[in-house]
Amino acid sequence: MIRNYSETRFGRISYLIRDGKIPLILMHGFGGTGNTFLRIEPYLNENFKVIFPDLLGHGHSDKPDIDYTIHQQALAINDMIKSLNLDKIIIGGNSYGGWIALDYALNINEPEALILIDSAGTNRTFAEDGMVNEVVDEIMKVRNYKNRDALIKIAENNGRPSEKINLNDLKRLSCKTIIIWGKNDNTIPISKGYEYKNYIRNSEMHVLDSGHTPQISNPEEVSSIINKIIE
């Protein structure tokens, strides 16, 4: 994969890309980068045009002075999609990235398929428990992107009730939706996965023997599930 950059209305997004025919965009969780999906890339069908972006405020992407709402992140991803002239995309993400994918599907453009991997969006966040500084400090111990202020803004935004996904809105989705969840997820309980399954009519649920990031712990299994979308 190679690294490239795309200008968006909020700043520049960095992404890893592999050539192919069918656009597959996967977005990382809070505090992560596109690199968190690198372990699945070798197992993904060669027909996928694989794109792993660093979300705004993360990694090699810009850290602009914005509110970092979920919709702003989704709009920035849409700008990237347009700049690459992509259509008929498959989009998804893990945790925070799944939340952004849901906003994209509900409020910008319904994709060919949606992939939710231990997705946030309806769960209680650590900001609501007053843990913003503690969590961000832990992330900064292993990251070197000088993005503490951006992460704090993102976390605080994610704690706002107005940012949560309305479950009844999920009934509007008609695209094929793949829900992948680690049965040992201690960050977002598996009950949230089943909640998505109950509200999204064209959805299927896959439970793996993993924690919150199955794309890291179970890359072959996750890739196999994703590959079935086009097989």
Side-chain angles (χ1 to χ4, degrees):
M1 300 189 77
I2 62 170
R3 182 169 296 282
N4 213 331
Y5 295 85
S6 178
E7 293 293 338
T8 79
R9 72 193 73 183
F10 302 112
R12 197 168 66 151
I13 282 184
S14 172
Y15 56 90
L16 295 170
I17 187 167
R18 185 191 82 184
D19 196 26
K21 297 176 182 177
I22 303 168
L24 170 66
I25 301 168
L26 294 174
M27 296 176 285
H28 60 81
F30 175 78
T33 68
N35 289 5
T36 61
F37 285 99
L38 282 175
R39 293 195 67 187
I40 73 170
E41 185 271 330
Y43 307 108
L44 290 170
N45 190 300
E46 63 182 10
N47 287 314
F48 281 127
K49 185 183 189 75
V50 180
I51 301 169
F52 300 150
D54 289 354
L55 295 165
L56 290 173
H58 294 77
H60 295 277
S61 292
D62 284 350
K63 289 84 180 170
D65 184 16
I66 60 174
D67 291 334
Y68 289 98
T69 66
I70 297 297
H71 192 55
Q72 284 176 328
Q73 293 279 21
L75 286 170
I77 291 298
N78 192 46
D79 288 345
M80 179 195 76
I81 290 167
K82 288 181 177 179
S83 73
L84 292 171
N85 296 312
L86 304 178
D87 60 4
K88 297 184 177 180
I89 68 165
I90 298 169
I91 193 168
N94 172 236
S95 196
Y96 176 58
W99 194 349
I100 295 164
L102 277 166
D103 183 272
Y104 176 88
L106 287 167
N107 301 311
I108 298 177
N109 188 31
E110 191 161 314
E112 292 295 295
L114 178 65
I115 302 168
L116 304 177
I117 305 173
D118 296 70
S119 179
T122 64
N123 58 294
R124 184 176 178 84
T125 68
F126 59 84
E128 294 169 83
D129 294 326
M131 297 289 291
V132 170
N133 285 302
E134 291 88 339
V135 172
V136 171
D137 285 345
E138 286 301 308
I139 291 170
M140 294 305 295
K141 288 178 183 177
V142 296
R143 300 290 180 192
N144 188 31
Y145 292 111
K146 298 179 180 178
N147 59 340
R148 189 177 194 280
D149 291 345
L151 291 179
I152 287 175
K153 283 183 111 175
I154 292 168
E156 289 176 344
N157 173 79
N158 293 354
R160 297 187 181 106
S162 59
E163 288 294 277
K164 297 291 176 67
I165 297 292
N166 184 317
L167 286 170
N168 284 320
D169 285 344
L170 297 178
K171 296 176 182 177
R172 294 194 279 110
L173 291 173
S174 61
C175 62
K176 183 178 183 64
T177 301
I178 307 299
I179 303 165
I180 302 171
W181 222 275
K183 67 180 181 181
N184 304 314
D185 189 339
N186 293 320
T187 303
I188 304 177
I190 196 169
S191 59
K192 290 296 179 181
Y194 287 112
E195 192 173 64
Y196 288 129
K197 175 69 177 69
N198 288 337
Y199 279 85
I200 302 174
R201 61 178 181 270
N202 189 16
S203 63
E204 58 186 58
M205 178 89 168
H206 300 265
V207 179
L208 305 185
D209 187 13
S210 71
H212 187 57
T213 53
Q215 74 273 18
I216 296 174
S217 60
N218 302 59
E220 291 186 64
E221 282 184 275
V222 171
S223 299
S224 177
I225 294 165
I226 294 172
N227 288 340
K228 286 182 173 63
I229 297 173
I230 61 170
E231 289 176 351

